[in-house]
Amino acid sequence: MPDWKPEIVKRLASLRLGATREAEIVEELAQHLDDRYADAIASGATEPEAYRSAIAELSDDELLASGLRRIERRVSPEPVVLGGAARGNALADAWRDALFCLRTLRKNRGYAAVALITLALGIGANTAIYSLVHAVLLRPLPYANADRLVFLAELMPEGRGRSGISYPNLMDWRERTTTLDDIAAFQSQSYTLTGAEVPIRLQGRRVNWNLFTLLGTTPQVGRLFVEEDDRPGAPMAAVISDSLWRSRFGADPAVVGMSVRLDGAPCTVVGVLPPTFEFVRRDEIYTTLVPVATETSGLLDRGNHFSIYAIGRLAPGVRVGQAEDELSAVAAQLAGEYPNTNSGNGAELKPLADVLVEDVRTALFVLLGAVGFVLLIACANVANLALAHATERRREIAVRLALGAARGRIVRQLLCESVLVSLLGGAAGLAVGTALVRGLVALAPPGIPRLDQAGLDGNVLLVTLAVSTVIGVLFGLYPAVQASRTDLNTAQKDAGRSTSGPAHERMRRVLLVAEIALALVLLAGAGLMLRTVVELANVDPGFDGNNVLTMRFNLPQNTYDPPRRRAFFSDCIEKIEATPGVESAAMTFSLPIDGSNWNSIFIVDDKPVPPRAELPSSAFSPISDDYFETLRIRLLKGRSFTPADADGSPYVTVVNEAFANRMWPGEDPIGKRLKQGWPEDKNPWREVVGLVSDVKLNGVDQMTPMQAYLPIRQEPMRSIALVVRTSGNPLASGPAIEAAIHSLDPDIAVFRMMTMDQLRGEALGQQRLTMALLGGFAGLALLLAGVGIYGVMSYTVTQRTHDIGIRMALGARPRDVLRLVVGQGALVAVVGVVIGLAAALALTRLMTGLLFGVGAADPPTYGVISIVLVVVALLACYLPARRATKVDPVVALRHD
Amino acid sequence: MTNQMLDRELKKGSAELLILSLVEAVPRHGYEISKLIESRSEGRLRFHVASLYPLLYRLEKRGWIEGRWVEKAGERRRRFYRLTSQGRKVLAAQRDTWREFVEAINLVTGMDNA
């Protein structure tokens, strides 16, 4: 049969029809001519005659075209299904493409669903962590000129780190620096607010009046501090937080000018801060600093370093480095002028933003990295899915190409599908992420700045959108381009078996190996954190914290002189020990693990006095007599305190092992003497009467510091921590103990009541959260990798049903088939694990700061996770492999 | 010359009627239709591709006939046309018109055509 197409097409050329329509017409007319030709042959014509009679039907060139022109011109635009020439406006095309994509996705529900869920999980986790990182680290501080604000502190000699600024030093800094045009100091302070109902304890700060002007804060009600408030002898003024205003004063504007009692002293509330105000932490009340800098407070002693820190603002045009240099120079000057107190002291000047997050920065970045890995694994899975999906549609694509679809259009449509899936996955991920963020904020330990403001914001949305689109383009591009290179012949031939080319196969393997490697790295991180938390939990704190209740309270300043304090101590302990359920009670200044210590330099009598910069420093803790017994701290030598160690009796002390080993190594510490403070201070010499075992003071992961205990009667302090050993649940006895205290003085506010275990758990809070998150991500990664392996193996088995059928028909046993499939998977797994191990070893080094008790290259951890991963991979291979063995060779061979 | 012109004009006017009537009973494809016209008119009327198909497409566009691709076993697919319900109405109307026209001509020219 001759080919009529060229002749027909020639006559249709002037119409410039769309490819579809033209193809249709051509087909119909060609049919007609074929029939005419066949008829002619059947009635005896020769071929040339028959050809001529058929061609005659087409007559001259213009007749057909002119006949069709009026009709075809008004034909509606070609249907979307087949590819077409680029006609019509791009927007309409894009819209049609999008609708077509949706329809295609709905048809391939399985593929779309798996891809969507995988992406939702990966993107969701990323959105959550990114929200956190953004809220805590990346967002600019909410103060005026935040990038010009710096944090100031002093540096102790001998590299012992940061310390508070001594008040006289601060004054000199203020006077002598030109690079900072304003400095405001702040000091942590807690107050007891009395008046109505129960006395409450408030967390607050004493600040210079200009702190708020430096931060650019404006009051919600009333006013903030002015210079008059911050002068010696000024009447006490307070600025309160919005939450305190609402909870305690009923948001009444008349609070301005109201008089309250703080620690027993009268104080006027002058203003309320805006609800969003937060400086380092959310404090409830602020008072001024200068009025308390009196002789008796000890603030005017240059050698005393209370926890006073400061912020400063860089003068215009000054860089941080310049200011840092100048301040160090000033500190050096002062060290020269006041060698007794300042020798060896330096100054610390850092951007405020950096200082606020220094504790959490590493952890947050580790988490960000981890969650990025999860996303990569998710993308690899989706890419594999897309590859498989595109391969299945080769035939459809080849047909479209043959019917004249533009290659670019096909690529565009495939890309549209993958972008659509990613955008939908991104939207779902956004929802997942938001929920995750809320959960994390609720579970997070306190002390992470600005965490409570983490949430969905424009930034996060934008990043998620960008990530989704990029993913869609990336994982859609390769399969799309590959698929569009198909030609009909190959596709038709492979139609039954539709195996993919070796290029596809290799790409899939590469993706799998990458997934496994990434999963291993995550598992390494999670495993190390798990070991860390376990190690931390197992650290022997040096005491027995079971069934121990702790709480704190402060004796009001003005009403308790030392004799009254001593009386209170003994009455209080007596009353508490009489409470049912209480076995023993004791008082101390600093609780173990808590880290709230009173540190002081000291000298000992049997060693030469070292230079001032090298004077040793120890934690000094006044305790009641039964302290060691209550906490079951072991007494190694000598004795503990007795009622004989009273005011007026010889001054005594008990030291811990760290102290004895440092000061008197190899010697018996009993009988030695020490004295707090500078060598020339008129403090009493204390004789060491006992040696106790070490107690972890600053958290279980820190080294035990030197510690010297003093009898509370010889050093009666106001701030008291109570430890009570109970026979049953400690918290059950809480109310009774509090009542006992109030029966002695109703104006005492008891706070931070918690069991020792809770205190310990609190200290571990951040590590536990990091571990939980990393563990969660590693688990997710493992799941995704397993699913990915299963998917690819399953697909491979399906594609190779024909092969397997042949093999089994030729006598292969199920075992051999199993070995074949699982063997392939095992190879991929092992390669992935090896690469993953190398990567993990390199990367976990970055998280050393977070680890405790385990090295970043800990062999048991790596060994375990490698085994776990290989087992999971093998399992994921085994299931489809089993399916392969069930193949009926007859069915397989017929499967064409 | 005059005859050809007349032929063309006559054909044009009646072509639609021809095609509609041919697909009234049973769906037919293009070649079938042209063969039927040729055979039933004993060769007097002939429709070539260039004139038949534009006509078919025009009728299809108006909705009077409906074309569908049909694939029979072992054959290539063909486009079959059938009369739609609207087409049925049009066919009836055109038949009436044609009959009236012929009667009118006969009355005027005094010809007698049954």
Side-chain angles (χ1 to χ4, degrees), chain A residues 356-659:
Chain A
L356 290 181
V357 299
E358 52 193 13
D359 287 335
V360 294
R361 182 187 249 132
T362 314
L364 277 178
F365 279 130
V366 165
L367 285 175
L368 199 61
V371 89
F373 278 16
V374 170
L375 187 61
L376 282 176
I377 295 180
C379 290
N381 264 358
V382 177
N384 261 329
L385 271 175
L387 263 180
H389 186 59
T391 309
E392 277 172 13
R393 294 172 66 190
R394 264 162 44 121
R395 195 144 155 253
E396 171 205 331
I397 293 172
V399 169
R400 279 161 66 173
L401 280 173
L403 284 176
R407 207 174 288 276
R409 187 92 190 265
I410 294 207
V411 172
R412 217 172 65 210
Q413 277 173 348
L414 287 177
L415 217 55
C416 172
E417 280 173 36
S418 62
V419 169
L420 201 63
V421 166
S422 325
L423 284 178
L424 287 175
L430 214 57
V432 168
T434 316
L436 201 60
V437 167
R438 297 235 183 92
L440 284 176
V441 169
L443 289 173
I448 301 182
R450 306 205 283 165
L451 187 66
D452 54 346
Q453 289 162 39
L456 218 60
D457 67 350
N459 255 296
V460 173
L461 269 161
L462 219 63
V463 166
T464 309
L465 195 68
V467 164
S468 307
T469 317
V470 166
I471 291 176
V473 169
L474 279 181
F475 84 68
L477 200 60
Y478 180 77
V481 167
Q482 281 293 319
S484 75
R485 293 226 196 100
T486 340
D487 79 87
L488 184 57
N489 270 335
T490 347
Q492 290 279 34
K493 265 194 286 180
D494 295 339
R497 291 191 275 133
S498 49
T499 43
S500 46
H504 276 205
E505 196 61 38
R506 208 177 357 172
M507 177 55 88
R508 274 207 288 272
R509 296 265 170 90
V510 166
L511 285 174
L512 275 187
V513 166
E515 277 189 57
I516 293 177
L518 288 171
L520 191 99
V521 174
L522 276 181
L523 281 173
L528 289 175
M529 278 313 292
L530 182 65
R531 287 282 308 263
T532 298
V533 169
V534 167
E535 291 288 324
L536 282 174
N538 286 343
V539 167
D540 176 13
F543 61 92
D544 178 6
N546 289 326
N547 287 347
V548 170
L549 185 66
T550 72
M551 65 197 83
R552 301 199 73 104
F553 58 87
N554 296 336
L555 294 177
Q557 182 156 22
N558 303 330
T559 44
Y560 278 78
D561 58 356
R564 184 151 177 224
R565 293 181 202 174
R566 293 190 197 102
F568 181 86
F569 297 152
S570 52
D571 290 343
C572 186
I573 291 184
E574 208 182 294
K575 267 217 129 124
I576 293 176
E577 286 190 332
T579 314
V582 170
E583 286 180 6
S584 74
M587 291 181 177
T588 177
F589 176 76
S590 47
L591 286 170
I593 300 181
D594 206 33
S596 50
N597 301 330
W598 166 34
N599 294 316
S600 170
I601 48 176
F602 64 94
I603 57 173
V604 294
D605 67 344
D606 66 336
K607 301 267 185 316
V609 176
R612 296 178 85 84
E614 291 165 36
L615 282 170
S617 167
S618 163
F620 283 85
S621 197
I623 55 169
S624 64
D625 298 341
D626 291 336
Y627 180 72
F628 299 129
E629 272 179 43
T630 307
L631 285 184
R632 308 219 175 122
I633 300 173
R634 286 178 303 140
L635 182 66
L636 301 171
K637 272 207 179 114
R639 65 171 180 84
S640 171
F641 300 135
T642 67
D645 302 308
D647 183 43
S649 316
Y651 288 96
V652 293
T653 180
V654 170
V655 299
N656 70 350
E657 285 175 284
F659 195 109

Side-chain angles (χ1 to χ4, degrees), chain A residues 27-28 31-32 35 39 71, chain B residues 31 53-54 57 77-78 81:
Chain A
E27 189 177 354
E28 197 169 2
Q31 280 275 292
H32 187 115
D35 291 336
D39 273 355
I71 306 167
Chain B
Y31 183 66
Y53 285 89
Y57 297 154
R77 61 177 194 167
R78 278 179 193 282
Y81 296 92

Side-chain angles (χ1 to χ4, degrees), chain A residues 373 513 516-522 524 829-846 856-857 862 865-866 869:
Chain A
F373 278 16
V513 166
I516 293 177
L518 288 171
L520 191 99
V521 174
L522 276 181
V830 166
V831 171
V833 163
V834 167
I835 297 180
L837 279 176
L841 282 171
L843 288 174
T844 48
R845 224 178 303 166
L846 295 171
Y862 282 78
I865 60 177
S866 303
L869 199 51

Side-chain angles (χ1 to χ4, degrees), chain B residues 12-52:
Chain B
K12 256 207 270 181
S14 61
E16 291 180 4
L17 178 55
L18 285 173
I19 292 180
L20 287 177
S21 64
L22 278 176
V23 296
E24 182 187 9
V26 64
R28 301 189 195 278
H29 60 85
Y31 183 66
E32 203 179 345
I33 294 174
S34 92
K35 253 183 70 173
L36 273 173
I37 293 177
E38 198 177 329
S39 62
R40 283 199 190 168
S41 70
E42 292 170 4
R44 283 189 203 119
L45 297 173
R46 255 194 213 147
F47 274 90
H48 284 168
V49 163
S51 33
L52 176 64

